[in-house]
Amino acid sequence: MPIPTDPETGEFVRSANHFDARITADGSSGWPVEPGRYRLVVSRACPWASRGLVVRRLLGLENSISLAVADPIQDDRSWRFTLDPGGVDPVLGIGFLADAYYAAEADYDGGISVPAVVDVPSGKLVTNDYPQITLDLSTEWGQYHREGAPDLYPQRYRDEIDEINRQVHADVNAAVYEAGFASKQAAYDDAYDRLFARLDALSQRLATRRYLVGDTITEADIRLFTTLVRFDPVYHGHFKCNRNKLAEMPVLWAYARDLFQTPGFGDTVDFDHIKRHYYQVHEGVNPTRIVPNGPDLSLWATPHGRAELGGRPFGDGTAPGPPPAAEVLPAQW
């Protein structure tokens, strides 16, 4: 698939989130919270979509918001439902996520991205605004959270969470793509330098505290985790983010394993989808489409020692139960 870069600077240009409607508890947005009405469309390969998978699991919204999983390998029509019988999503009745975009806006000519929330009755896309989707799952869907659901966006820490999220987005979540898709050396150098400077700062922050903000898991940890879990399998080699592997950064490696081993995190990660998507779709970066065999994924199950720092993963809440049977992933190693 073609990678959009600025012809002068060589910088990767990410498409804006065109559809930014919100689903609200009071319905003032025109899209009211309503169990069973909406379908969350994801790719398990995509870090932006994976945030929604984690938050949905932690809050216990599986019975309120159904899940569609796209094939990790896209074609020129983008995300497709070829993992489903007949290549059609069984709830939406469409073969391509693009169909929901065009149902919402017939002349839409932008990118087709995940995560996407689709209104099942009309078949129309509601939103692809990934930063807001997870915040709204936490704040607008509270009536339908499971008993013992954690507060992932606590009011008293929101300013701090928002600032950490801003830094992590610019210098980690987005920077790995800006390094990997850069078409000129200066653009790559800038992204690379920002990425590792921020990872070093995060390592210092996390050396004495178990989680990024407060003493519980918050939205900030989720947003960092979905990039870290892809770092060694993809970003280190494929995107040339190769000063260090995650496994060579002791604090961040332990932090990432702590989260991975926490219910709701590792049980949403599909390394097969992650590796096949990046290495087989980004032909401009990897023209042979060969998927590497490494790294050794079993190391994600090794002890991390982070519990010694204290903290309460779910605060006053409890861990989620096992995933729904239809969402249980094959063994990863």
Side-chain angles (χ1 to χ4, degrees):
M1 296 183 67
I3 298 168
T5 57
D6 185 298
E8 293 187 5
T9 66
E11 296 173 347
F12 170 57
V13 180
R14 181 174 293 281
S15 299
N17 299 315
H18 180 76
F19 297 89
D20 59 359
R22 294 181 60 191
I23 299 168
T24 53
D26 63 7
S28 60
S29 63
W31 298 103
V33 165
E34 184 180 325
R37 177 170 176 175
Y38 304 100
R39 191 154 174 83
L40 176 64
V41 181
V42 304
S43 164
R44 292 189 183 274
C46 172
W48 319 102
S50 291
R51 300 173 178 184
L53 287 169
V54 174
V55 171
R56 176 175 169 269
R57 278 275 292 125
L58 294 177
L59 299 179
L61 288 169
E62 295 99 325
N63 292 328
S64 296
I65 304 170
S66 64
L67 182 68
V69 179
D71 194 312
I73 308 301
Q74 300 158 280
D75 66 13
D76 57 0
R77 291 162 292 185
S78 196
W79 301 108
R80 53 189 184 163
F81 296 111
T82 45
L83 300 179
D84 294 301
V88 173
D89 180 82
V91 173
L92 299 175
I94 58 177
F96 295 87
L97 177 56
D99 295 337
Y101 276 69
Y102 301 140
E105 191 174 305
D107 59 353
Y108 177 70
D109 62 358
I112 309 298
S113 63
V114 289
V117 180
V118 179
D119 176 51
V120 173
S122 68
K124 295 179 179 179
L125 178 75
V126 177
T127 177
N128 68 348
D129 187 4
Y130 59 85
Q132 192 62 48
I133 286 172
T134 50
L135 295 180
D136 284 346
L137 292 179
S138 287
T139 59
E140 301 293 330
W141 286 80
Q143 181 180 353
Y144 301 101
H145 290 177
R146 65 178 176 85
E147 184 177 355
D151 186 353
L152 300 175
Y153 195 46
Q155 186 72 49
R156 67 187 182 279
Y157 289 130
R158 286 186 185 179
D159 288 347
E160 188 176 0
I161 292 170
D162 291 346
E163 177 58 21
I164 291 289
N165 286 346
R166 184 193 65 77
Q167 296 170 2
V168 167
H169 174 82
D171 298 334
V172 181
N173 303 144
V176 291
Y177 284 88
E178 292 164 6
F181 290 156
S183 61
K184 293 190 176 181
Q185 187 71 45
Y188 164 77
D189 290 345
D190 175 70
Y192 177 99
D193 290 345
R194 286 187 288 108
L195 168 66
F196 283 102
R198 184 63 61 192
L199 292 179
D200 288 343
L202 291 167
S203 291
Q204 289 186 326
R205 182 181 183 91
L206 289 164
T208 57
R209 55 195 303 162
R210 192 171 179 185
Y211 304 111
L212 283 170
V213 180
D215 67 347
T216 65
I217 291 166
T218 68
E219 176 82 13
D221 298 294
I222 294 164
R223 294 189 184 194
L224 179 56
F225 170 79
T226 58
T227 294
L228 294 183
V229 79
R230 289 162 173 77
F231 202 89
D232 287 3
V234 175
Y235 302 143
H236 177 268
H238 184 60
F239 278 176
K240 307 179 185 71
C241 298
N242 60 356
R243 191 197 75 178
N244 306 99
K245 295 178 181 177
L246 178 66
E248 296 167 347
M249 294 182 271
V251 171
L252 289 178
W253 175 224
Y255 166 79
R257 280 178 292 148
D258 185 8
L259 292 175
F260 184 88
Q261 295 170 31
T262 299
F265 284 83
D267 52 28
T268 69
V269 174
D270 191 322
F271 285 114
D272 172 65
H273 280 207
I274 290 168
K275 291 171 64 174
R276 287 196 292 121
H277 168 75
Y278 283 92
Y279 287 105
Q280 295 190 326
V281 171
H282 302 156
E283 293 185 70
V285 179
N286 184 40
T288 66
R289 302 181 78 239
I290 292 172
V291 180
N293 291 328
D296 181 359
L297 300 174
S298 68
L299 297 176
W300 282 95
T302 59
H304 51 76
R306 296 283 294 179
E308 297 175 2
L309 294 173
R312 302 172 300 143
F314 305 103
D316 295 329
T318 59
E327 298 178 21
V328 174
L329 295 172
Q332 300 288 295
W333 51 80

